[in-house]
């Protein structure tokens, strides 16, 4: 958030519960806590911006099309949008550089995407094929299927040219492409992966969950032991 009217109220919490919060941190690369902005006076103005040096784009969901968003590409959404994690397979997750899990958006409303550099939409017609270099994907509709290929057709040619692997899409559908790749240095990439703070919060939540689970096991074992009356167990 950059700025907002005084009539807008901010709330923050683990939207969807503990497991959803952990899913956002470790699977989606987002923050564990979700901020909700509400215009209590009925209307108001708020300005959002990404920590990345790049453009923003808005996708309008009509309830019929599912969208996939790469890790760190999601900025905000309206209340009618449901977000979840979807495993896209080991091969695609590694070589597309979009992550093993993508953010899946469904429902009705608007989503705001963030990118590195310019963000370019590409509309694909039925059967049209389009190749996108891995690391440049931001989001794509579920109707546009893709596979991993070598950019130069042959493995040797692809790696000698420095292109390596790429994503080959087949229409119909829509793709959002960023002009720059995510910085390789950890300090620059922290904002893209949810930040160090969200990672620390996620680890704390995992530790809390483990402690609660171990406590339950201890109580269960004690209850079984005390159930023998005198606490003695005979072996025959």
């Amino acid at each position: 958030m950059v700025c907002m009217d005084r009539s807008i109220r901010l709330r923050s919490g683990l939207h969807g519960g503990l497991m959803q919060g952990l899913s956002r941190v470790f699977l989606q690369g987002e923050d564990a806590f979700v901020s909700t902005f509400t215009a209590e006076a009925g209307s108001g103005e708020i300005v959002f911006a990404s920590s990345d040096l790049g453009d923003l784009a808005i996708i309008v969901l009509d309830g019929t099309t599912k969208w996939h968003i790469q890790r760190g590409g999601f900025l905000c959404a309206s209340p009618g949008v449901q977000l979840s994690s979807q495993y896209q397979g080991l091969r695609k997750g590694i070589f597309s550089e979009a992550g093993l899990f993508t953010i899946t958006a469904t429902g009705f409303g608007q989503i705001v995407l963030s990118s590195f550099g310019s963000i370019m939409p590409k509309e694909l017609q039925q059967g049209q094929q389009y190749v996108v270099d891995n690391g440049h994907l931001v989001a794509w509709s579920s109707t546009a299927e893709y596979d991993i290929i070598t950019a130069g057709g042959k493995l040797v040619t692809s790696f000698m040219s420095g292109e390596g692997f790429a994503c080959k899409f087949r229409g119909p559908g829509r793709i959002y492409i960023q002009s720059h790749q995510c910085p390789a240095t950890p300090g620059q990439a922290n904002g893209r992966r949810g930040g160090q703070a969200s990672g620390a919060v996620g680890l704390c939540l995992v530790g809390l969950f483990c402690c609660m689970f171990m406590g339950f096991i201890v109580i269960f074992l004690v209850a079984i032991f005390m159930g023998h009356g005198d606490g003695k167990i005979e072996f025959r």
Side-chain angles (χ1 to χ4, degrees), residues 17 71 80 102 108-109 122 133 142 144 146 192 236:
R71 289 172 57 93
T102 61
F108 296 87
K122 177 64 178 179
D133 188 25
S142 59
Y146 84 94
R192 200 65 170 176
R236 297 181 180 180

Side-chain angles (χ1 to χ4, degrees), residues 27 68 71 85-104 137 140 146-148 167:
L27 302 183
H68 301 284
R71 289 172 57 93
S85 301
Q86 180 170 324
Y87 179 66
Q88 63 166 348
L90 187 63
R91 185 165 175 263
K92 289 183 178 180
I94 293 176
F95 296 112
S96 69
E97 297 187 16
L100 291 174
F101 293 84
T102 61
I103 302 173
T104 302
L137 274 178
W140 60 97
Y146 84 94
D147 198 6
I148 301 298
C167 305

Side-chain angles (χ1 to χ4, degrees), residues 201-218:
V201 170
L203 291 176
C204 291
L205 291 175
V206 171
L208 178 62
F209 178 78
C210 292
C211 290
M212 293 173 60
F213 180 76
M214 293 301 298
F216 174 78
I217 295 297
V218 171

Side-chain angles (χ1 to χ4, degrees), residues 142-224:
S142 59
T143 56
E145 299 179 352
Y146 84 94
D147 198 6
I148 301 298
I149 63 169
T150 52
K154 297 181 179 179
L155 189 63
V156 176
T157 304
S158 297
F159 283 95
M160 288 184 65
S161 65
E163 294 298 331
F165 294 99
C167 305
K168 184 180 73 173
F169 282 86
R170 180 187 295 273
R174 191 176 180 90
I175 316 169
Y176 284 88
I177 307 164
Q178 61 187 12
S179 60
H180 292 72
Q181 290 192 11
C182 176
T185 59
Q188 291 175 298
N190 275 337
R192 200 65 170 176
R193 295 181 173 86
Q196 293 178 338
S198 64
V201 170
L203 291 176
C204 291
L205 291 175
V206 171
L208 178 62
F209 178 78
C210 292
C211 290
M212 293 173 60
F213 180 76
M214 293 301 298
F216 174 78
I217 295 297
V218 171
I219 294 174
F220 179 73
L221 293 176
V222 170
I224 293 178

